Amino acid sequence: MNQTLLVVQMEQSEIKSVSIAIKYCYKKIIFDQENRLTYTKYLEQILEEQTPKEFLNTFKQLRAFSYGQSDWNWFDINESIVLSLSSNNSASFWSWLACHPNGYVREFALKKLGAESCSNTLPFLLITLNDHVENVRELAKQEISNSFIQENKETILFSFPLIKRLKSLEQKENLVIYDQLNNYLLDDFDLLQKAQESQDIYISRYGFELSFRIKEQYRTEVLKNGLKKTDRIILSWTFKEIQKEEHWEEQYLTQLLNHPQMIIRKLACEWCYNNRDKEERMISTLLDQTTSIKYLALDYVEKQFPEIDCREYYLQHLKENPINAIHGLAILQDKRDQERMLPLINSHKKKIRVSVFNWIGCLSFEEQLPVYIDCLSDPSRDVRNKAVDQLMNHYSLPIKEQLIPLFKEKKEARFQLSIIKILGEESRKDYFFDLVSLYVYAADQLVKDKIEQQLVGWMLSWNRRFFFRFCLKDKVELAYLVNKNYEEYSSGVLDVMWKVLRAK
């Protein structure tokens, strides 16, 4: 939240957004006549503290008309009121009035802005180019060229996304302004460079979009800057532009295959896969950290270099690049690696333990089962979830018979919570009795709360109400549990149990 909004909020707790803060400032300036200079300064600061996207949202909120109650007399501002205002008001005062729902107010504000050489007005003129009132649009069109030439660089940079937006607006005459402003920008490479470096992604993207159209002398520098970015869209554009370069494979391909950003490496690998035979530079991508790239590289090497044993390649790189080499072995799922892979389930590195899970599918489920059970208490949520998913997919009575005693013996919250989730695969009645009986063995309050939550959910579920009936034997067993563990059950668990006992 920007500092100006915080200051205004200190005065009025009802102010929850920038647009409401602006309306409040106008109420103070126009209707209450209090601290005019202070609130006018706030109006100026609000624009400086917003991003282009936030500015557009604020504009839409200010323009929105309602027949309901007006916020801070915003709809009470009309033609007669603005005519009575002092002509000494600052540009920031008139700028935000260009976003008012009343067309006469917008028109008057634009005339005031046009009568003086004002800075920071370009964003307001750009959004007004799509106004539904023709007179207002014409005023903005007349002023925009002069404003652009006189405007400071920071405001022009701020306006980059608003200029790009002109191309998609309803008023097609804006295309003339769009082309005119783009021609100004294309002649100012220093400004385009600042746009490329902007922290605002929309400014940066449009800076690159324009930069790819500039003269040849700057092209290499633009491509270099593009490869430094992290935004996927800019990187994709840069890759396409690089492909337009003569002999780009010799100059760029090695760099692209080893680029720090995944999107560039993947695009380069896909290009090699579809366009190059026997490309030796693809062999090194067998050790890429991204799974999809590794799969692509494996398929490519197996087809183009049948003499290379990919398993041996990974084994050769185990010492220098263990994580990616083990991941590659996991993809191959070769049973010959059993003695090497299974002990790695105890590795302190999560990625290696996940790789073991990917590899273990080549074993029989009987061999996999002990590993899955051990991993139910793994410190990594990803590993635990993989173990839980596998046990749920293969759930059976023998698995339950192993899990229940372990729940009681192993007083570890993560382990017990995983078992509670797995038991949800059994019949609803069995699940109810298991939750009730296991409650007293919970490792901590977190596990108890989870069991209680599951019991309450079980009681409210539609299949419980319509299909379950408890026979006398069930109720006797339940009553026995109540009597035996009454002191240990919470009130919520007891409430569910009493409802079952009273049910007909």
Side-chain angles (χ1 to χ4, degrees):
M1 187 180 294
N2 62 55
Q3 295 300 312
T4 304
L5 183 56
L6 284 173
V7 172
V8 177
Q9 273 192 327
M10 290 173 67
E11 301 179 22
Q12 290 291 338
S13 59
E14 297 94 332
I15 294 175
K16 304 296 183 184
S17 69
V18 173
S19 62
I20 296 177
I22 291 171
K23 296 173 184 179
Y24 177 75
C25 289
Y26 277 107
K27 173 180 171 58
K28 288 295 186 180
I29 296 169
I30 297 175
F31 297 98
D32 296 346
Q33 299 287 309
E34 295 180 7
N35 301 321
R36 294 172 58 85
L37 293 178
T38 300
Y39 288 104
T40 301
K41 186 67 175 178
Y42 287 161
L43 292 174
E44 181 181 338
Q45 291 172 345
I46 284 173
L47 181 62
E48 296 172 356
E49 295 169 350
Q50 287 203 300
T51 66
K53 186 174 182 180
E54 290 169 345
F55 172 74
L56 272 174
N57 289 335
T58 301
F59 159 72
K60 292 174 182 177
Q61 291 164 7
L62 291 173
R63 277 294 308 271
F65 181 77
S66 172
Y67 288 101
Q69 187 176 2
S70 171
D71 290 331
W72 310 109
N73 299 104
W74 179 241
F75 297 146
D76 296 338
I77 302 174
N78 54 35
E79 187 178 15
S80 62
I81 287 178
V82 293
L83 284 171
S84 66
L85 293 173
S86 170
S87 60
N88 294 327
N89 284 301
S90 67
S92 59
F93 175 87
W94 298 113
S95 294
W96 288 110
L97 284 179
C99 307
H100 196 274
N102 189 315
Y104 294 107
V105 174
R106 297 199 301 278
E107 184 175 358
F108 189 86
L110 288 171
K111 288 178 179 177
K112 285 291 187 182
L113 291 175
E116 304 176 19
S117 297
C118 304
S119 61
N120 298 326
T121 60
L122 181 61
F124 298 95
L125 296 174
L126 288 169
I127 59 173
T128 306
L129 286 174
N130 198 51
D131 199 283
H132 68 281
V133 179
E134 186 175 358
N135 289 344
V136 176
R137 289 200 307 272
E138 286 299 321
L139 281 170
K141 190 187 299 184
Q142 291 168 16
E143 295 300 327
I144 202 158
S145 296
N146 292 332
S147 175
F148 190 87
I149 295 171
Q150 299 169 3
E151 193 61 85
N152 60 67
K153 298 293 186 183
E154 288 72 22
T155 304
I156 294 177
L157 278 175
F158 179 90
S159 302
F160 265 53
L162 305 177
I163 295 172
K164 177 179 173 63
R165 175 175 172 267
L166 294 177
K167 192 174 182 179
S168 59
L169 295 180
E170 292 181 10
Q171 308 301 333
K172 297 305 178 185
E173 62 266 27
N174 292 338
L175 290 175
V176 177
I177 305 292
Y178 171 79
D179 292 334
Q180 180 184 350
L181 297 183
N182 281 341
N183 288 334
Y184 285 134
L185 296 175
L186 289 169
D187 289 333
D188 192 342
F189 183 66
D190 290 338
L191 185 62
L192 292 179
Q193 274 193 310
K194 289 182 179 179
Q196 294 168 25
E197 297 165 2
S198 174
Q199 296 301 309
D200 186 282
I201 194 61
Y202 300 103
I203 295 175
S204 184
R205 284 177 183 174
Y206 197 53
F208 276 100
E209 187 177 332
L210 291 175
S211 298
F212 290 135
R213 295 163 48 185
I214 60 178
K215 298 176 183 177
E216 193 68 29
Q217 65 193 79
Y218 300 116
R219 185 170 176 79
T220 302
E221 190 172 349
V222 175
L223 295 177
K224 183 179 177 182
N225 292 340
L227 289 175
K228 293 178 182 177
K229 305 300 287 186
T230 57
D231 179 63
R232 292 171 62 90
I233 291 179
I234 293 174
L235 289 167
S236 299
W237 289 345
T238 305
F239 181 80
K240 291 178 182 178
E241 291 297 321
I242 286 174
Q243 288 181 287
K244 298 176 184 178
E245 297 291 291
E246 190 175 359
H247 307 302
W248 71 273
E249 300 98 320
E250 287 76 13
Q251 290 181 294
Y252 288 97
L253 189 55
T254 301
Q255 178 187 358
L256 299 177
L257 288 169
N258 296 281
H259 194 272
Q261 295 299 322
M262 181 274 290
I263 182 65
I264 289 289
R265 299 198 309 276
K266 188 171 184 180
L267 289 171
C269 285
E270 288 175 348
W271 184 88
C272 287
Y273 187 91
N274 294 313
N275 297 283
R276 293 292 285 258
D277 293 331
K278 298 288 183 178
E279 177 53 71
E280 293 185 357
R281 286 174 287 187
M282 278 288 285
I283 297 174
S284 62
T285 60
L286 286 170
L287 291 168
D288 195 275
Q289 61 186 352
T290 303
T291 302
S292 59
I293 295 177
K294 204 179 266 105
Y295 271 107
L296 193 69
L298 274 168
D299 192 43
Y300 182 87
V301 172
E302 287 173 353
K303 290 178 179 177
Q304 298 292 335
F305 301 97
E307 69 277 9
I308 295 178
D309 186 333
C310 293
R311 177 174 175 269
E312 284 299 322
Y313 183 87
Y314 286 128
L315 292 175
Q316 292 168 10
H317 290 84
L318 274 175
K319 288 186 178 179
E320 63 186 72
N321 197 342
I323 292 178
N324 291 328
I326 290 169
H327 189 197
L329 292 173
I331 293 173
L332 293 174
Q333 290 190 324
D334 195 311
K335 285 189 176 182
R336 290 176 293 175
D337 296 317
Q338 183 169 351
E339 292 184 3
R340 178 179 291 103
M341 297 294 283
L342 281 180
L344 294 176
I345 199 63
N346 298 312
S347 171
H348 66 282
K349 295 181 179 179
K350 183 194 82 170
K351 289 185 177 180
I352 291 180
R353 300 198 303 276
V354 171
S355 292
V356 175
F357 264 93
N358 294 332
W359 170 85
I360 206 172
C362 65
L363 303 180
S364 65
F365 183 73
E366 288 71 22
E367 295 173 293
Q368 298 173 35
L369 183 58
V371 178
Y372 295 147
I373 292 176
D374 287 343
C375 289
L376 292 177
S377 57
D378 194 276
S380 166
R381 181 182 298 176
D382 290 340
V383 176
R384 291 199 306 275
N385 287 342
K386 283 179 175 291
V388 168
D389 290 343
Q390 289 296 325
L391 290 171
M392 290 175 69
N393 290 336
H394 296 88
Y395 187 80
S396 63
L397 184 58
I399 290 177
K400 174 183 174 179
E401 290 173 348
Q402 290 191 55
L403 294 179
I404 294 294
L406 290 172
F407 185 102
K408 297 176 181 179
E409 295 169 10
K410 194 169 183 178
K411 299 287 186 175
E412 202 272 311
R414 285 193 297 246
F415 186 81
Q416 291 186 338
L417 289 172
S418 297
I419 291 179
I420 291 170
K421 188 173 182 181
I422 295 166
L423 292 176
E425 292 297 303
E426 62 184 342
S427 72
R428 305 304 289 167
K429 186 183 288 187
D430 289 340
Y431 190 46
F432 172 82
F433 276 102
D434 285 336
L435 290 176
V436 169
S437 61
L438 293 176
Y439 183 88
V440 296
Y441 298 98
D444 57 21
Q445 191 60 43
L446 181 65
V447 179
K448 291 182 178 181
D449 291 343
K450 182 63 177 178
I451 292 177
E452 185 172 336
Q453 178 188 346
Q454 294 295 98
L455 286 171
V456 172
W458 180 92
M459 197 68 194
L460 297 175
S461 63
W462 67 273
N463 54 2
R464 154 71 186 91
R465 293 196 303 272
F466 289 103
F467 297 111
F468 286 167
R469 294 292 183 270
F470 287 84
C471 64
L472 181 59
K473 180 182 177 182
D474 296 328
K475 293 186 177 183
V476 169
E477 182 180 349
L478 190 59
Y480 171 77
L481 289 172
V482 171
N483 291 330
K484 180 182 177 182
N485 304 305
Y486 184 83
E487 297 296 330
E488 298 184 58
Y489 286 133
S490 70
S491 58
V493 173
L494 287 172
D495 182 56
V496 173
M497 296 170 76
W498 286 125
K499 287 179 180 178
V500 172
L501 287 171
R502 295 192 193 101
K504 296 181 179 180

